[in-house]
Amino acid sequence: MGCFFSRRRKPAQGEQQQAVAAGETGKDAASGEEKAPQYSWDQRAKIDPKDYTFSGLKDETVGRLPGKVAGQQFIIQDCENCSIYIFDHSATITIDDCVNCQIFLGPIKGSVFFRDCKDCKCIVACQQFRTRDCRKLEVFLCCATQPIIESSTGMKFGCFQYYYPELALQFKDAGLSIFNNTWSNIHDFTPVSGENNWGLLPENAVVQDYVPLPSSEELKAVRISTDAMRSIIPITRGRRQKSSDESCLAVFFAGDYTTANARKLIDEMTGKGFQLVQTKEVLMKAEDAHRVFKQCASEFIPLLEKGPVVALEFNGDGAVEGCQSTINDVFSGTKVFVSESKASASQDVDNFYNFADMQMGM
């Protein structure tokens, strides 16, 4: 480690010639003029903040196509009567002082923060969701952690439901699981005694009635579907009242087709009239398996090293028997844990989701 004040050794003539040839002396070999030093960050593409900002717009339809944000942070501010679509994944998004806007936000790796907004309708997928000083926001939400509202009133929430071909990869790029969605588990940071600052959207709410498809020719190129059956996020009941006292837990272990198998079971069970209450994707350890799977744990522990498990809760009279028969008929050869009986099913559900919430710090 050299001293700051020490002199550099003067290179020998041969060494200097080699350095000149290699361009190491900082001088142009031909002209002898000093060259500016080159750093790795000088080679990066220059970011223009205007490409990642919508500000001061009124009565406009604007957006960004897939690939145009590519994980950067985005700012939306001072917009009125606008339709705004971000069809890409981003790092964080802040929305300030927007009024009467319809907003779609693709997967956000970090947080989305609404401040001083009112009368807006939104579709949002994110890791963290927060609002402050907002009024009358209606949000179809996918949020990996507990959504938080602060000093906000008239808030309404529903389950995210949307599809376009690039959306699944964008969720992956943002580090979000399609099975971790706590959209209805709202924490009101500033509750008012005797008042309720938030509620749930109608169960039959249609996304397109809140955030219409884009009207601009550029954004029409995105092949969107708002059909709930095609939604990238499974539609869950969340904290809505269950229709039955009987629930069933089904857990898929990591493999090549875990996601596809979980989606298949959802389609089969909901097609039979059962309701999907909640879903979760989480890593488990051996001690977790003993707590959740009880006497079956030893059978599943070797599978936990392969990756996270995907858990589904179904509700409805006959859910346990219906899930067991569907698993046997459709998933031969696939390792799945299913509640063994109606008597144990509720405890299975509680054991798993209590463990999962602790793992995710909720």
Side-chain angles (χ1 to χ4, degrees):
M1 185 172 178
C3 173
F4 179 77
F5 295 103
S6 64
R7 293 184 179 180
R8 296 182 58 190
R9 180 179 67 86
K10 186 176 180 180
Q13 184 174 2
E15 292 178 309
Q16 188 171 15
Q17 289 174 344
Q18 291 176 354
V20 169
E24 295 175 358
T25 64
K27 293 184 178 182
D28 184 278
S31 65
E33 296 180 356
E34 292 286 341
K35 292 174 62 180
Q38 296 294 311
Y39 303 103
S40 60
W41 51 83
D42 290 328
Q43 310 304 317
R44 297 174 185 168
K46 300 298 182 182
I47 299 296
D48 188 344
K50 294 195 298 294
D51 292 336
Y52 305 95
T53 303
F54 290 134
S55 180
L57 304 180
K58 187 174 182 179
D59 302 318
E60 293 191 42
T61 296
V62 293
R64 290 290 182 266
L65 293 171
K68 295 301 183 181
V69 179
Q72 297 292 329
Q73 64 181 17
F74 209 96
I75 296 172
I76 302 171
Q77 60 188 12
D78 300 309
C79 294
E80 183 178 354
N81 300 327
C82 289
S83 295
I84 299 169
Y85 305 86
I86 307 297
F87 293 125
D88 205 357
H89 70 103
S90 56
T92 62
I93 296 184
T94 56
I95 303 95
D96 293 324
D97 300 290
C98 289
V99 179
N100 195 33
C101 290
Q102 294 82 47
I103 302 172
F104 173 87
L105 303 178
I108 302 162
K109 185 172 185 176
S111 62
V112 58
F113 202 173
F114 288 81
R115 297 176 293 202
D116 298 289
C117 296
K118 63 180 181 180
D119 298 314
C120 291
K121 298 175 173 60
C122 313
I123 305 171
V124 179
C126 60
Q127 176 73 22
Q128 298 176 323
F129 177 91
R130 292 197 64 179
T131 72
R132 190 179 69 204
D133 299 315
C134 292
R135 181 164 60 86
K136 292 184 65 178
L137 265 60
E138 297 173 318
V139 186
F140 290 88
L141 179 63
C142 173
C143 187
T145 57
Q146 186 175 31
I148 296 174
I149 65 173
E150 179 181 355
S151 302
S152 299
T153 61
M155 310 291 289
K156 299 287 185 181
F157 294 91
C159 184
F160 181 104
Q161 42 194 287
Y162 217 76
Y163 170 85
Y164 52 87
E166 300 85 354
L167 191 52
L169 182 57
Q170 292 172 5
F171 264 87
K172 183 177 180 180
D173 288 339
L176 300 179
S177 168
I178 64 171
F179 296 108
N180 289 334
N181 185 10
T182 62
W183 66 270
S184 63
N185 187 19
I186 311 298
H187 175 67
D188 187 350
F189 198 73
T190 51
V192 178
S193 179
E195 297 182 15
N196 194 357
N197 294 321
W198 67 275
L200 302 182
L201 290 168
E203 194 170 351
N204 60 353
V206 178
V207 167
Q208 206 166 321
D209 293 341
Y210 292 78
V211 181
L213 299 183
S215 58
S216 72
E217 290 302 319
E218 178 189 29
L219 298 176
K220 283 182 180 179
V222 181
R223 292 178 290 162
I224 301 165
S225 173
T226 58
D227 181 354
M229 295 297 293
R230 297 193 67 192
S231 175
I232 193 72
I233 297 295
I235 310 303
T236 56
R237 290 187 60 78
R239 296 206 164 188
R240 289 192 175 100
Q241 185 174 356
K242 297 178 181 178
S243 62
S244 170
D245 292 332
E246 182 177 348
S247 285
C248 180
L249 176 69
V251 180
F252 286 86
F253 296 87
D256 294 335
Y257 305 104
T258 303
T259 297
N261 287 338
R263 296 302 298 254
K264 177 65 174 176
L265 181 60
I266 292 170
D267 291 343
E268 293 284 336
M269 290 291 286
T270 54
K272 295 176 180 178
F274 298 106
Q275 297 174 332
L276 180 64
V277 178
Q278 58 181 329
T279 66
K280 194 73 74 177
E281 182 173 11
V282 66
L283 287 166
M284 297 185 74
K285 300 177 181 178
E287 56 266 32
D288 304 321
H290 285 293
R291 187 163 64 233
V292 174
F293 304 128
K294 305 297 183 183
Q295 65 271 20
C296 301
S298 58
E299 179 184 355
F300 299 121
I301 287 175
L303 303 173
L304 301 180
E305 297 179 357
K306 296 183 178 181
V309 302
V310 172
L312 315 172
E313 179 190 352
F314 296 101
N315 182 262
D317 293 340
V320 173
E321 183 180 349
C323 194
Q324 290 173 343
S325 64
T326 302
I327 292 291
N328 292 334
D329 293 343
V330 180
F331 299 100
S332 58
T334 300
K335 210 66 174 176
V336 189
F337 169 85
V338 187
S339 297
E340 293 184 351
S341 66
K342 180 179 177 180
S344 67
S346 294
Q347 190 60 54
D348 290 338
V349 170
D350 290 343
N351 285 343
F352 183 87
Y353 284 100
N354 287 339
F355 143 75
D357 288 345
M358 288 177 61
Q359 289 292 99
M360 302 183 74
M362 297 178 60

